[in-house]
Structure formats: structure tokens, C-alpha cells
Amino acid sequence: MVDSNIKTTSTDDKKDSLSSVNFVTVIETPEPVGKHIILNENGVPEKDRNTLGVVSRGIATTLSAATPHELAEIIRDVGNNTNKVLILSHLKDSVPGDTYQIITTKKMTQMTSGEICSGVYARDGVLYVTRTKDNYRPSNWLLLDRDITDGMPKSMADLNFYEWLEAMTRIWPGMNEAARVVVPSTTGRVCLNGVPMESSGAHVYIRAALDGDIKLLNATGTRLLAAAMGNKLSFHKISISGASRPWSIFDPTTFSSERLVFDGKPRVTGEGLTVSDSEIQIVEGSEADPTLIPELTGIQKQGIKRKYGLGVE
């Protein structure tokens, strides 16, 4: 049940701006979100393709994740619920304990008679916020989503976790020494008669020196993908529409401040389907430095231009 009580901490209780790099957000929705696993006509578990990862409303709470252990506890709570989702950012000027309502830009426009289409709006003691990029300040946690996707070369798909980590460290020196929280794909939590579904993906939460800078977060994703392309760790991914784009051993689309991370408990429908607990790994360490992602050589840039038709600055 979603609590309709919305509260905001007073200005006197605000923490200093430096500590806000630890703040993340959990949204509790009135309906389940994330994966739904069903049994197909052959009795084999598979993802319900009609499930949409859309969050149009809910109650958002700002939380502190100053250590990998604190982040892991937040993820564990999300993972115990089918209706919670994480954002690795926080509403600007919010502090841990602040809560507010998430609404769509369409709803915001209606509520304000067109005066505000995205942003923050207070009415009758309730704070309404659209989940749009400019409203959120990144924490020093970012997501590296390791997902085995269609079209991925076998040499990349067959990497075990430690080989994947070594490959990532080649394009981001020092990343392997950063604090991290590793959460196996939620698909692997689903069991049929006690046997887990096959899954090799993972969410790897990395502590990085982003300092609340949205541009640096975006640039980190762009530079990582460019480094992957320059080091033969990329391929063409074909979308459902038939469009092609560069992809890598990580999902390059997660580097945005308002991005939702789905690590909630999967729903299951079918006899014999159960959900096990999430096995979260915590590794202490330092902060990864995005400025250490190497610049590409002229030869590497020419190779990217030939393979993808893209110019890299």
C-alpha cells in the first residue's frame, strides 16, 4: 500500500551539499513494476513481453547511500518488493526522509493549467515532481548494466564476471578498485520446481567521483562507449524497429540522472514458479575516476568511423 502522506524536511535540517552525493531515490508505485515471468505453452518459464517498465506515478523517498553496505540494504529492500524501483540520483535540495509524489508531464500540465509541464509543484502541502532529467542530481553511484543481449559476439557473451570486470578495467583504469555492489539479474531469482532460470547478467553499482555533475555522468557513458569501440569491445545492436546502434559489454543507455533501475522482486505466474532471495555482493573500495577513461588515438577514431560511421571527438 502506498502511503499518501507526503512530507518534506525543513530547511534547517538540510545537510551540507557535499553529502548529497550519497543520496538516491526509491519510488513505491501503486502497481507492480519490473519483470513478470510466466510459463509458456511448453511449460518453460519466460519473460512476459507485455510487461512494460513504466512508472507514471508513485511515492518517491530520498535515501542516503554513503557506503556500499547502505546501498546494498536499499537494494535489498527494493528486491523484496514487486512495486519498488531505484534511481541513483535525488531530487535537487531534498535530503534523506523527504518524500513526494511522482507524476507525468501530462498530469503536471493539467494540474498547473499549462504553466508547468515538467518540474516541481506544491499544492495543499503536497509536493508533485516529474521524473525528468533537470529535476535530479546524480549521486556518486552509477550503474554498469551487464546484459547478454541479442547480436552480442560470442567472445563477449561468454565472459565470466571476472573476465568482464578485467575487460571493463581496460577501458576504465582503476574501476576494479572502486567500491561496488553487484546484484545478479532478477531473472536468475526465478525458479521452476526449485531450479533457477538461466541468467548471466548483473547490475554492477560502482562508486564514482561524479560530484553531482549531470554533464559528467552523461560524458562518462559517452566516453566509456567510445573507449569500448576503440578497444574492440563493441558491436552493432539491432532494435525491434530494425535500427542499429553501437553497444558494448555494458548497456550504454544507463548514464542519465532520472534513469530507473529495476531490481525489484519479479512477479511469477505458473505452477511451480517461485522467487528466491537476491544474492547481493558488496566490495569495499575507493571511487572510480571518470577522467581516467583514456582518450582514443587517431587510428582508433578512424576505425570507429569505418565500422559505425560515427565521428568521435
Side-chain angles (χ1 to χ4, degrees):
M1 180 69 70
V2 175
D3 185 356
S4 60
N5 268 327
I6 315 295
K7 63 187 182 69
T8 311
T9 306
S10 67
T11 304
D12 293 339
D13 294 330
K14 300 289 185 185
K15 294 186 177 181
D16 63 89
S17 60
L18 182 62
S19 65
S20 68
V21 298
N22 300 320
F23 300 167
V24 298
T25 305
V26 169
I27 301 175
E28 184 177 357
T29 64
E31 61 281 318
V33 293
K35 292 177 184 173
H36 179 210
I37 306 298
I38 59 175
L39 292 179
N40 64 21
E41 57 186 13
N42 297 317
V44 178
E46 63 180 23
K47 296 177 186 177
D48 179 2
R49 302 297 177 183
N50 294 318
T51 302
L52 298 177
V54 176
V55 175
S56 58
R57 58 191 178 126
I59 304 302
T61 304
T62 302
L63 300 169
S64 176
T67 68
H69 292 273
E70 287 184 359
L71 179 63
E73 285 307 305
I74 292 170
I75 296 171
R76 197 180 309 279
D77 175 66
V78 170
N80 289 334
N81 293 272
T82 61
N83 67 329
K84 288 188 177 182
V85 65
L86 176 65
I87 305 177
L88 295 175
S89 303
H90 68 284
L91 178 66
K92 292 177 181 178
D93 298 324
S94 69
V95 296
D98 284 356
T99 60
Y100 52 92
Q101 286 223 29
I102 292 288
I103 60 174
T104 63
T105 54
K106 180 179 180 180
K107 182 67 174 177
M108 178 70 81
T109 302
Q110 293 172 342
M111 290 180 65
T112 63
S113 301
E115 292 184 13
I116 304 174
C117 63
S118 65
V120 178
Y121 176 64
R123 187 173 74 180
D124 299 328
V126 178
L127 195 65
Y128 298 92
V129 177
T130 57
R131 188 178 58 82
T132 43
K133 186 177 300 186
D134 290 344
N135 289 336
Y136 285 87
R137 184 185 183 202
S139 71
N140 275 9
W141 291 103
L142 60 74
L143 173 66
L144 294 176
D145 185 355
R146 192 207 174 189
D147 191 19
I148 311 303
T149 187
D150 293 341
M152 178 176 282
K154 190 174 186 299
S155 60
M156 298 182 197
D158 287 348
L159 294 174
N160 64 37
F161 178 78
Y162 295 100
E163 291 170 335
W164 175 87
L165 188 64
E166 181 182 0
M168 287 298 306
T169 305
R170 291 206 306 270
I171 60 175
W172 191 351
M175 190 215 77
N176 59 326
E177 298 177 0
R180 63 180 181 266
V181 177
V182 182
V183 184
S185 170
T186 55
T187 300
R189 295 177 59 186
V190 177
C191 303
L192 176 60
N193 300 322
V195 179
M197 289 181 65
E198 184 177 348
S199 178
S200 54
H203 283 168
V204 183
Y205 298 84
I206 295 290
R207 183 82 173 171
L210 298 173
D211 298 325
D213 189 335
I214 292 178
K215 291 183 179 179
L216 181 56
L217 172 63
N218 299 154
T220 298
T222 301
R223 292 184 63 190
L224 265 182
L225 182 57
M229 290 190 289
N231 287 273
K232 299 181 180 179
L233 287 171
S234 63
F235 60 98
H236 287 280
K237 181 178 180 180
I238 309 300
S239 68
I240 296 176
S241 66
S244 171
R245 65 159 296 167
W247 210 260
S248 185
I249 57 173
F250 63 93
D251 180 345
T253 68
T254 63
F255 299 85
S256 187
S257 60
E258 82 291 0
R259 176 80 180 212
L260 298 172
V261 185
F262 294 92
D263 264 325
K265 183 178 181 179
R267 290 181 294 139
V268 294
T269 302
E271 186 175 353
L273 290 178
T274 57
V275 181
S276 63
D277 292 337
S278 182
E279 298 181 359
I280 300 174
Q281 180 189 26
I282 302 169
V283 178
E284 298 281 0
S286 56
E287 285 187 336
D289 184 352
T291 66
L292 295 182
I293 300 171
E295 298 287 344
L296 299 182
T297 65
I299 293 175
Q300 287 174 319
K301 292 178 181 180
Q302 290 171 12
I304 292 172
K305 181 70 173 179
R306 286 195 301 270
K307 183 174 181 178
Y308 296 101
L310 298 174
V312 179
E313 296 297 328

